[in-house]
Amino acid sequence: MSYGDDRVYKKVEIIGVSKRGLDAAIQAAVTKAHKTLQKLSWFEVQDIRGHVGDDGTVTEYQVILKVAFEIKE
Amino acid sequence: MSYGDDRVYKKVEIIGVSKRGLDAAIQAAVTKAHKTLQKLSWFEVQDIRGHVGDDGTVTEYQVILKVAFEIKE
Amino acid sequence: MSYGDDRVYKKVEIIGVSKRGLDAAIQAAVTKAHKTLQKLSWFEVQDIRGHVGDDGTVTEYQVILKVAFEIKE
Amino acid sequence: MSYGDDRVYKKVEIIGVSKRGLDAAIQAAVTKAHKTLQKLSWFEVQDIRGHVGDDGTVTEYQVILKVAFEIKE
Amino acid sequence: MSYGDDRVYKKVEIIGVSKRGLDAAIQAAVTKAHKTLQKLSWFEVQDIRGHVGDDGTVTEYQVILKVAFEIKE
Amino acid sequence: MSYGDDRVYKKVEIIGVSKRGLDAAIQAAVTKAHKTLQKLSWFEVQDIRGHVGDDGTVTEYQVILKVAFEIKE
Amino acid sequence: MSYGDDRVYKKVEIIGVSKRGLDAAIQAAVTKAHKTLQKLSWFEVQDIRGHVGDDGTVTEYQVILKVAFEIKE
Amino acid sequence: MSYGDDRVYKKVEIIGVSKRGLDAAIQAAVTKAHKTLQKLSWFEVQDIRGHVGDDGTVTEYQVILKVAFEIKE
Amino acid sequence: MSYGDDRVYKKVEIIGVSKRGLDAAIQAAVTKAHKTLQKLSWFEVQDIRGHVGDDGTVTEYQVILKVAFEIKE
Amino acid sequence: MSYGDDRVYKKVEIIGVSKRGLDAAIQAAVTKAHKTLQKLSWFEVQDIRGHVGDDGTVTEYQVILKVAFEIKE
Amino acid sequence: MSYGDDRVYKKVEIIGVSKRGLDAAIQAAVTKAHKTLQKLSWFEVQDIRGHVGDDGTVTEYQVILKVAFEIKE
Amino acid sequence: MSYGDDRVYKKVEIIGVSKRGLDAAIQAAVTKAHKTLQKLSWFEVQDIRGHVGDDGTVTEYQVILKVAFEIKE
């Protein structure tokens, strides 16, 4: 890629869920989107949420992100 | 589904249009997305709009929503 | 299309990049999405960004837009 | 109206109030604006509020909307 | 209540859930908050969401609202 | 006015300018709108800005507000 | 006009439509509002949208703006 | 309090109403919340509104704020 | 809990503070709210802030979150 | 300054703190920025906060503003 | 620059003013910031405004942007 | 510092980049700003983004923050 060329990207919104913390939830989402959707270029965090278990521990972190990839011919 | 497992969801933005009111416009959009896109888990309303006929009645309600479904292998 | 019929639209987020200015970046994104994704109905600009070259000139304009098309059976 | 012609629209913010629910509050506002202001083209919901009576029932729904109409010569 | 007197209100965020549509979900939340929290004065809708069943029907509407009541001595 | 009756309000955006502070800028805008537009019911502050003189004093406060009045037949 | 005098402005929301690009759509809206509404002081762009023709070209640019003018006695 | 210790705060949304101006409405809300809820640490203004009397004077200022206090064991 | 039943939730805004990072600040806030307020169902991150010590290290992370729990009879 | 000439302004975000009320906090911030940064043209209020003393009085008002000045050669 | 290295960027908010249209106002702001502030990497449009002359023509376009550059030792 | 004294702070927007996760990206940005700009008081996270490598791993986390410091004479 070089700046100045005409290009078009697409952004898709996904949610990564992991019990191992924020960094892990981001990586989980990016890994799956990279495999099942398309080779990604970057991501943007939209929102952070999570689930709380009966004992008051965070049982999962949920990170809503937009991931972006180039649309090629 | 059980909380604590690593999962990834995708969210898609759609617009449902119906002349029968807000609830009907939501249901119309959900039904079609469920059939043509994927088995949905939940929806989030983004915006509500509508068209007005020549006689001043609301001829259609337009509900912009995000619908979400799990990405499975 | 006539108002009052039940319809469902989908919106997709894309980024058009062009060195020829804002109008050109919009047209570039719309053209490619029209060809590779679906026959579009309208677009909405979300954000405008750009890249600056070493000599201080704008080397590319980046327009983030949502494009919409009808989901047919 | 045909797409591609130069046109100018005006948007006005109104609040419709009705005890019969959201759809009715929208229709009430659109009807009155259509009669007292101008022949409307479309509406956009901005906010939804309401008043609660002494017995805990919703005594009125208040829908804040923008309504739009074309400015003709 | 008469305008011009010094008063203080409190706002609380609640979520009403009902399978019977938006108006019903609002009324359900208002009724319960009115009984378990305090005698309410008004409400403001913050967000609208919902759950989708396996057959693609909306199995519940979720309305996030702020409800307000006066703080008396 | 009594709650429960069908009513329609209109909101208009105005900017009050005064050198005597925020309260005065709000009152100035409300007074003029009340006289030249319509008998107002309430106002909502949208934004607060101001102009700075050559000596670093605030030479005027500018308050952007929405004012609301009932549309009667 | 000189800074420091008490003044009141009004803002009105309009939509300019033109097939000749963003600058032209802004100018079209400003020209018509200036003639049919009032002598304008400034404008603020709120949103940019557009319509796409069957061949994938942008057939019109729609610019939503607020225009402002002073309310004189 | 010293920085670096684990602590938890709670924020509550209240509305102060006073006819004596913005500063007074803030102080009124803070005083009552301090007495009836909890010993406050700080406040954040969310919105400013007001009521207009029949003669066009501001009969009350309404300031919506969030107030915060530490949750102790 | 099963989807489709009428339920009401309440959301409360709290701030967790910890020097051990973002995940720890979230867990700290959730743990204390779970004990002193109510058995929580989920959380939503609103804002992330922090304090900087004299030597330029982050001495504490502050995470503002909304926590939610069901209101039972 | 005359409209129509090419010009460039810079905006800087500052926080003014005063115990004497909102107007005073704005003026304090503007005065110091005018002296230590640059001769200002205008300001825009971003946020209003404050600190509450042990006796429930507002011990200081904090106004977050953006101040703007022209960049000259 | 290569991805993966620790880097720090700074963003500065500026306003470009030009009578020749949106592209020109962006370029004007970028050129001056590049010369007087620092060698820029990219820009982000925040807002678009403008001034209207007595004859209803747009006498200047004002583009508020954030420009970014790397902080080097 | 003691509450109640007139003070003025400045906020600056920076972006920290690190491959070691969110906490590290925040600390990296704070450390460099503390050294090259000014002795900081606090930070506020604005946005979180990141870059994805060819193998689908997050190659860097980018945290956009505002950092604040007191303006002294």
Side-chain angles (χ1 to χ4, degrees), chain E residues 13-15 17 20 32 60, chain I residues 4 6-7 9 11 66:
Chain E
E13 192 168 3
I14 59 175
I15 305 176
V17 178
R20 285 163 295 131
K32 179 155 273 182
E60 64 181 41
Chain I
D6 277 27
R7 301 180 313 282
Y9 293 87
K11 291 208 276 187
K66 292 200 174 166

Side-chain angles (χ1 to χ4, degrees), chain D residues 12-25:
Chain D
V12 172
E13 193 169 1
I14 59 174
I15 305 175
V17 178
S18 169
K19 65 180 158 231
R20 283 163 296 130
L22 297 177
D23 293 357

Side-chain angles (χ1 to χ4, degrees), chain G residues 51-69:
Chain G
H51 186 260
V52 181
D54 281 351
D55 60 348
T57 57
V58 177
T59 51
E60 65 181 38
Y61 295 85
Q62 304 155 348
V63 182
I64 296 96
L65 355 101
K66 291 199 174 165
V67 293
F69 48 86

Side-chain angles (χ1 to χ4, degrees), chain K residues 6-8, chain L residues 16-18 20 23-33:
Chain K
D6 277 28
R7 301 181 310 282
V8 178
Chain L
V17 178
S18 170
R20 284 162 297 133
D23 294 356
I26 293 173
Q27 183 59 70
V30 165
T31 300
K32 178 155 275 182

